[in-house]
Amino acid sequence: MKTWKLVSGIISIVLFFLVAFQSCAAGISNSLEENGEVGGTAGMFVAFMLLAGGIVSIATRKGSKGGNIALIVLFLLGAIAGFTLGGSYSDLAIWSGWCLICGGLAVVSLIFSNESK
């Protein structure tokens, strides 16, 4: 899981820039259309959860119970916000899926780190 945490952390940090850029564009589109959607704001929230989760993932890759719990909370909050508030910003479902995968693997890491001790 050490390698996975390092790789997923790097990917999450890189995705932060892409998701943030797309979210700004979606927010401007929502404002111009005056459609009442909050996909851009939800996307920015997901982007910051990706950034925070990526940093925590890299920092705690050697394994700690608190680090795994933090990863679960960060990534699952991002996934929930993205899936529920995405609206017409359809790419947000992809980024929320990545958050869900990372959160699920943090759960696996937490379970296996407790069993090995």
Side-chain angles (χ1 to χ4, degrees), residues 33-70:
E33 292 176 4
E34 296 179 0
N35 57 10
E37 292 185 0
V38 292
T41 305
M44 287 304 291
F45 182 77
V46 171
F48 283 113
M49 292 298 108
L50 281 169
L51 179 64
I55 292 169
V56 171
S57 182
I58 291 171
T60 63
R61 69 184 178 270
K62 299 201 184 213
S64 72
K65 186 176 181 179
N68 286 328
I69 293 171

Side-chain angles (χ1 to χ4, degrees), residues 23-104:
S23 298
C24 288
I28 290 171
S29 173
N30 288 340
S31 295
L32 292 175
E33 292 176 4
E34 296 179 0
N35 57 10
E37 292 185 0
V38 292
T41 305
M44 287 304 291
F45 182 77
V46 171
F48 283 113
M49 292 298 108
L50 281 169
L51 179 64
I55 292 169
V56 171
S57 182
I58 291 171
T60 63
R61 69 184 178 270
K62 299 201 184 213
S64 72
K65 186 176 181 179
N68 286 328
I69 293 171
L71 285 174
I72 293 166
V73 170
L74 289 170
F75 282 128
L76 292 183
L77 279 176
I80 290 169
F83 283 129
T84 58
L85 301 173
S88 61
Y89 179 17
S90 58
D91 284 354
L92 194 55
I94 296 168
W95 313 132
S96 301
W98 174 254
C99 286
L100 193 62
I101 290 169
C102 291

